[in-house]
Amino acid sequence: MIASTMAVEGEETRAPRADYLLFTLTAACLLSFVDRFTLNVLLGAIKSSMQLSDTQISLLVGFAFSAFYSVMAMPFGWAVDKWNRRNLILAGLLLWSMATAASGLATTFGQLLTARTFVGIGEATLMPAAYSMLADAFPARERGRAFGIFSTAVYAGGGVALVLGGALLAFAADLVKTIPALAKFEPWHLVLLMIGSGGIPMAALMLVTAEPVRRAVAGAGVQGTSLMRHVWRHRAPFFWVLVVYTLYTYVTYAVLPWAPTVVARKFGLGPAAAGLTIGFVTLIGGIIGASVGGVLSDHWIRRNARGGRLRATLIWWFGALVAIPYFAIAPTVSGAAVGYLGFIFFDSVGYVSMSAVFQDMVPPALRGRITSFWYVVTYIGAGVGPLATGLLTDHWFASPAALPQAIIWASVPIVVIGFFCSLRALPLYDAMRARPPGEL
């Protein structure tokens, strides 16, 4: 047990309409991940129509999105701590929805790459603002559960994107054949146009969502409001925690964007069938994993357990070490689905802990900026992960059929390194959690 926790702030009560706020933000998050991951189930069709390599595909699902997402997160994080957070999300929502629709008008790789960068810029507004609003709306003892519910949208959105994307692709193919005015479009163009239009009703819902009152630290004051000073003052725990979650993000994105393509190539499935298989598994595993992760997170905090929420990363590394190779080498579709179910379950347990850990490490005045900061750093992994897999497929194995082997070699060594980094981070994080609130 540790001496005390850092989350002593304001009056530990819920904000008015906290559950409604959680519902609205979860819906917005789900939409953002539908917009983000629909591309994954369309990769085969895009690769064929534009004659792209796996390396170019990896840029679309990796760097084109994550580079701008992470870079823009910092100014948006500053805005979260200063401006109306609801309005910031609303502006970002409109931008990423229009950019998704614009992706449906792209006829060249450069145009599609540009549209994806604007999806990243728009979505960079959501997480810093959402986590800051939820941290103000829910007391510390309930924050893990709230973050867990919110995080289910990440995996539900990914699952819906794969299931819906495959179904819409088949529907769009029929439209292109039967409606002469649409004959100039590829079916995947229409899918992205349809998905992008979902931003209109979500924007209306966001307009009637209230901004929660910002909490203040109880007792002692905060030593300044500079994020960089705060991070530097606690540089050892921040360094190791950031390393852990950067490696986590790398492993996630070395596998996740390629999953429908692995199933399609290995077992000869079409986009709709591959999307349905991986999408259904993502929905089930992600929702259960995020819910379990949120419950465990609050349980560890209530018990003041050593390692706190950061314990979840140990579960993640052990699970990933088994699930990723099993998914890649499984000889049947059902076996691959079981392996991917394990991967998503353990991945979602780790994801829930990430947002809550960083919120625990800062005073309320820095909540928006710390979310942006960890996205900037850890999303390096989101860009490098898919690129590493694509490069291994194209240049090391030199065969699209070797994608499963590329996934194993791109991810498993990093899983082992990540486990030992977690062991190093746990005592440093505990030492920081044990500080009185006024010493943050």
Side-chain angles (χ1 to χ4, degrees):
M1 308 285 272
I2 63 174
S4 63
T5 63
M6 296 176 358
V8 180
E9 57 201 61
E11 292 188 6
E12 291 293 293
T13 58
R14 284 189 179 200
R17 304 187 73 194
D19 288 330
Y20 177 76
L21 174 68
L22 177 59
F23 166 77
T24 306
L25 293 176
T26 302
C29 184
L30 188 146
L31 177 65
S32 76
F33 277 83
V34 169
D35 283 22
R36 187 184 311 186
F37 285 117
T38 295
L39 194 72
N40 292 358
V41 78
L42 305 178
L43 291 182
I46 294 172
K47 179 183 174 74
S48 177
S49 68
M50 289 189 172
Q51 298 298 301
L52 303 181
S53 67
D54 277 0
T55 302
Q56 287 175 303
I57 288 292
S58 72
L59 292 174
L60 290 175
V61 298
F63 270 113
F65 178 89
S66 63
F68 284 85
Y69 183 94
S70 58
V71 168
M72 293 306 298
M74 282 304 290
F76 288 146
W78 178 89
V80 163
D81 291 329
K82 303 293 182 182
W83 298 345
N84 185 290
R85 294 165 289 186
R86 190 280 309 271
N87 292 344
L88 188 65
I89 292 176
L90 181 61
L93 166 65
L94 293 173
L95 177 59
W96 88 59
S97 298
M98 289 188 292
T100 299
S103 301
L105 301 175
T107 57
T108 67
F109 174 70
Q111 291 172 352
L112 186 55
L113 196 70
T114 301
R116 290 293 291 174
T117 65
F118 280 98
V119 174
I121 292 170
E123 291 193 10
T125 62
L126 177 61
M127 292 306 196
Y131 284 128
S132 175
M133 294 169 80
L134 291 174
D136 283 334
F138 290 89
R141 65 181 179 274
E142 299 180 14
R143 200 167 293 149
R145 184 191 66 85
F147 285 2
I149 293 172
F150 177 71
S151 297
T152 61
V154 173
Y155 298 92
V160 168
L162 297 174
V163 173
L164 184 63
L168 287 179
L169 189 62
F171 175 66
D174 290 337
L175 291 180
V176 169
K177 291 177 183 177
T178 56
I179 301 178
L182 299 178
K184 63 180 180 179
F185 291 100
E186 294 282 351
W188 64 266
H189 285 130
L190 298 183
V191 173
L192 291 172
L193 285 167
M194 288 185 279
I195 294 295
S197 66
I200 297 173
M202 189 64 240
L205 185 62
M206 189 59 62
L207 272 173
V208 296
T209 300
E211 173 92 347
V213 176
R214 297 179 189 267
R215 291 180 187 264
V217 174
V222 177
Q223 296 178 2
T225 56
S226 168
L227 175 64
M228 291 301 102
R229 282 199 299 270
H230 180 75
V231 170
W232 181 251
R233 187 161 56 243
H234 306 291
R235 54 192 173 275
F238 269 107
F239 173 80
W240 284 103
V241 170
L242 285 166
V243 167
V244 167
Y245 285 117
T246 299
L247 297 179
Y248 157 84
T249 307
Y250 167 91
V251 172
T252 297
Y253 280 84
V255 179
L256 189 148
W258 293 106
T261 306
V262 168
V263 173
R265 288 183 188 177
K266 189 172 180 179
F267 303 109
L269 300 183
L276 181 63
T277 300
I278 297 300
F280 181 74
V281 168
T282 302
L283 276 169
I284 300 301
I287 291 174
I288 295 175
S291 300
V292 169
V295 171
L296 286 175
S297 178
D298 283 344
H299 173 70
W300 290 326
I301 289 299
R302 280 195 300 269
R303 291 185 58 216
N304 286 336
R306 292 194 179 278
R309 307 183 202 271
L310 197 58
R311 281 183 167 196
T313 61
L314 299 178
I315 298 175
W316 153 244
W317 298 125
F318 276 117
L321 190 62
V322 175
I324 293 173
Y326 189 87
F327 164 65
I329 67 176
T332 64
V333 175
S334 58
V338 170
Y340 196 70
L341 177 67
F343 168 78
I344 288 295
F345 173 82
F346 291 112
D347 187 87
S348 57
V349 170
Y351 182 83
V352 172
S353 76
M354 178 161 52
S355 54
V357 162
F358 284 107
Q359 292 292 320
D360 285 347
M361 294 175 75
V362 297
L366 297 177
R367 280 186 176 143
R369 277 167 281 181
I370 192 57
T371 301
S372 301
F373 180 71
W374 67 257
Y375 266 108
V376 168
V377 177
T378 63
Y379 258 63
I380 295 171
V384 176
L387 181 60
T389 301
L391 288 172
L392 284 171
T393 305
D394 285 340
H395 300 291
W396 182 262
F397 294 103
S399 170
L403 181 58
Q405 291 92 327
I407 282 177
I408 292 174
W409 282 100
S411 59
V412 170
I414 306 303
V415 169
V416 176
I417 295 171
F419 172 76
F420 288 103
C421 289
S422 286
L423 292 180
R424 180 70 183 96
L426 286 171
L428 295 170
Y429 176 62
D430 272 347
M432 188 174 181
R433 291 176 62 232
R435 290 174 178 267
E439 294 182 13
L440 283 181

